[in-house]
Coordinates of all heavy atoms in Angstrom, one line a residue:
R127 N 28.2 -47.4 77.3 CA 28.6 -46.5 76.4 C 27.8 -45.1 76.6 O 26.5 -45.3 76.5 CB 28.6 -47.0 74.9 CG 29.5 -48.2 74.7 CD 29.6 -48.4 73.2 NE 28.4 -48.4 72.5 CZ 27.6 -49.4 72.3 NH1 28.0 -50.6 72.9 NH2 26.4 -49.3 71.6
N128 N 28.5 -44.0 76.6 CA 27.7 -42.7 76.5 C 27.1 -42.6 75.3 O 27.4 -43.1 74.4 CB 28.7 -41.6 76.8 CG 29.3 -41.6 78.2 OD1 28.9 -42.3 79.1 ND2 30.2 -40.7 78.5
R129 N 26.0 -41.8 75.3 CA 25.2 -41.4 74.1 C 25.1 -39.9 74.0 O 25.1 -39.2 75.0 CB 23.9 -42.0 74.1 CG 23.8 -43.7 74.1 CD 24.6 -44.3 73.0 NE 24.1 -45.6 72.7 CZ 24.3 -46.7 73.5 NH1 25.2 -46.6 74.5 NH2 24.0 -47.9 73.1
G130 N 25.2 -39.3 72.8 CA 25.1 -37.9 72.6 C 26.5 -37.3 72.6 O 26.5 -36.0 72.4
D131 N 27.5 -37.9 72.8 CA 28.9 -37.2 72.7 C 29.6 -37.4 71.4 O 30.7 -37.0 71.5 CB 29.6 -37.9 74.0 CG 30.0 -39.3 73.8 OD1 29.2 -40.1 73.0 OD2 30.9 -39.9 74.5
A132 N 29.1 -38.1 70.5 CA 29.7 -38.4 69.2 C 28.6 -38.3 68.2 O 27.5 -38.7 68.3 CB 30.4 -39.7 69.3
P133 N 29.0 -38.1 66.9 CA 28.1 -38.2 65.9 C 27.5 -39.6 65.7 O 28.0 -40.5 66.1 CB 29.0 -38.0 64.5 CG 30.2 -37.2 65.1 CD 30.5 -37.7 66.6
S134 N 26.3 -39.6 65.2 CA 25.5 -40.9 64.9 C 25.1 -41.6 66.1 O 25.0 -42.8 66.2 CB 26.3 -41.8 64.1 OG 26.6 -41.1 62.8
T135 N 25.0 -40.9 67.3 CA 24.8 -41.5 68.6 C 23.2 -41.0 69.0 O 22.7 -41.6 69.9 CB 25.6 -41.3 69.7 OG1 25.7 -39.9 69.9 CG2 26.9 -41.9 69.5
M136 N 22.7 -40.1 68.2 CA 21.3 -39.6 68.7 C 20.3 -39.8 67.5 O 20.6 -40.6 66.6 CB 21.5 -38.1 69.0 CG 22.3 -37.8 70.2 SD 21.6 -38.4 71.8 CE 20.1 -37.4 71.8
G137 N 19.1 -39.3 67.5 CA 18.3 -39.4 66.5 C 17.7 -40.8 66.5 O 17.6 -41.4 67.6
D138 N 17.4 -41.3 65.4 CA 16.9 -42.7 65.2 C 18.0 -43.8 65.7 O 17.7 -44.9 65.8 CB 16.5 -43.0 63.7 CG 15.2 -42.2 63.4 OD1 14.4 -41.8 64.3 OD2 15.1 -41.9 62.3
A139 N 19.3 -43.4 65.8 CA 20.3 -44.2 66.2 C 20.3 -44.5 67.6 O 20.9 -45.4 68.2 CB 21.7 -43.7 65.8
L140 N 19.6 -43.6 68.5 CA 19.4 -43.7 69.9 C 18.3 -44.7 70.2 O 17.1 -44.3 69.9 CB 19.2 -42.4 70.6 CG 19.0 -42.4 72.1 CD1 20.4 -42.9 72.8 CD2 18.8 -41.0 72.5
P141 N 18.5 -45.8 70.8 CA 17.4 -46.8 71.0 C 16.4 -46.2 72.1 O 17.0 -45.4 73.0 CB 18.1 -48.0 71.5 CG 19.5 -47.9 71.2 CD 19.8 -46.4 71.2
V142 N 15.2 -46.7 72.0 CA 14.3 -46.4 73.2 C 14.6 -47.4 74.4 O 15.2 -48.4 74.1 CB 12.8 -46.6 72.9 CG1 12.5 -45.5 71.8 CG2 12.6 -48.0 72.4
V143 N 14.4 -46.9 75.6 CA 14.7 -47.8 76.7 C 13.6 -48.9 76.7 O 12.4 -48.7 76.6 CB 14.5 -47.0 78.0 CG1 14.7 -47.9 79.3 CG2 15.6 -45.8 78.1
N144 N 14.0 -50.1 76.8 CA 13.1 -51.3 76.9 C 12.6 -51.4 78.3 O 13.2 -51.8 79.1 CB 13.9 -52.6 76.6 CG 13.0 -53.8 76.4 OD1 11.8 -53.6 76.7 ND2 13.5 -54.9 75.9
L145 N 11.3 -51.1 78.4 CA 10.7 -51.0 79.7 C 10.0 -52.4 80.1 O 9.5 -52.7 81.1 CB 9.8 -49.9 79.9 CG 10.3 -48.5 79.8 CD1 9.2 -47.4 79.9 CD2 11.3 -48.2 81.0
G146 N 9.8 -53.2 78.9 CA 9.1 -54.4 79.0 C 8.0 -54.4 78.0 O 7.6 -53.5 77.5
S147 N 7.5 -55.7 77.8 CA 6.3 -55.8 76.9 C 5.0 -55.1 77.3 O 4.7 -55.3 78.4 CB 6.1 -57.4 76.5 OG 5.7 -57.9 77.8
Q148 N 4.5 -54.4 76.5 CA 3.4 -53.6 76.7 C 3.5 -52.4 77.7 O 2.5 -51.8 78.0 CB 2.2 -54.5 77.2 CG 1.9 -55.7 76.2 CD 1.6 -55.3 74.9 OE1 0.8 -54.4 74.6 NE2 2.1 -56.0 73.9
A149 N 4.7 -52.4 78.2 CA 5.0 -51.2 79.2 C 5.0 -49.9 78.6 O 5.6 -49.7 77.4 CB 6.3 -51.6 79.9
K150 N 4.3 -49.0 79.2 CA 4.2 -47.6 78.6 C 4.6 -46.6 79.8 O 4.1 -46.7 80.9 CB 2.9 -47.3 78.1 CG 2.5 -48.1 76.8 CD 1.2 -47.7 76.4 CE 0.8 -48.5 75.1 NZ -0.5 -48.0 74.6
G151 N 5.5 -45.6 79.5 CA 6.1 -44.8 80.5 C 5.0 -43.6 80.7 O 4.3 -43.3 79.8
A152 N 4.9 -43.1 82.0 CA 4.0 -42.2 82.4 C 4.7 -40.9 83.0 O 4.3 -39.8 82.9 CB 3.0 -42.7 83.2
E153 N 5.9 -41.2 83.7 CA 6.6 -40.2 84.3 C 8.1 -40.6 84.6 O 8.4 -41.8 84.8 CB 6.0 -39.9 85.8 CG 6.6 -38.7 86.5 CD 5.8 -38.5 87.8 OE1 4.9 -39.2 88.0 OE2 6.2 -37.5 88.3
L154 N 9.1 -39.7 84.5 CA 10.5 -40.0 84.6 C 11.1 -39.3 85.8 O 10.6 -38.2 86.1 CB 11.2 -39.6 83.4 CG 10.8 -40.2 82.0 CD1 11.6 -39.5 81.0 CD2 11.1 -41.6 82.1
G155 N 12.1 -39.9 86.5 CA 12.8 -39.3 87.5 C 14.3 -39.8 87.4 O 14.5 -41.0 87.3
V156 N 15.2 -38.8 87.1 CA 16.7 -39.1 86.7 C 17.4 -38.7 88.1 O 17.2 -37.7 88.8 CB 17.2 -38.3 85.6 CG1 18.5 -38.3 85.7 CG2 16.5 -38.7 84.4
G157 N 18.2 -39.8 88.7 CA 18.9 -39.5 89.7 C 20.4 -39.3 89.3 O 20.7 -39.2 88.2
W158 N 21.3 -39.2 90.3 CA 22.6 -39.0 90.1 C 23.3 -40.0 89.0 O 23.9 -39.8 88.1 CB 23.5 -39.0 91.5 CG 24.9 -38.7 91.3 CD1 26.0 -39.5 91.0 CD2 25.5 -37.5 91.4 NE1 27.2 -38.9 91.1 CE2 26.8 -37.5 91.4 CE3 25.0 -36.1 91.9 CZ2 27.8 -36.5 91.5 CZ3 25.9 -35.2 92.1 CH2 27.4 -35.4 92.0
D159 N 23.1 -41.3 89.2 CA 23.5 -42.4 88.5 C 22.5 -43.4 88.4 O 23.0 -44.7 88.0 CB 24.8 -42.9 89.3 CG 24.6 -43.2 90.7 OD1 23.4 -43.3 91.2 OD2 25.5 -43.2 91.5

Side-chain angles (χ1 to χ4, degrees):
R127 297 195 312 272
N128 291 355
R129 301 300 202 285
D131 61 340
S134 303
T135 59
M136 293 296 295
D138 292 332
L140 178 66
V142 298
V143 177
N144 184 355
L145 298 174
S147 56
Q148 307 302 315
K150 295 183 177 181
E153 188 176 1
L154 296 174
V156 169
W158 184 278
D159 43 26

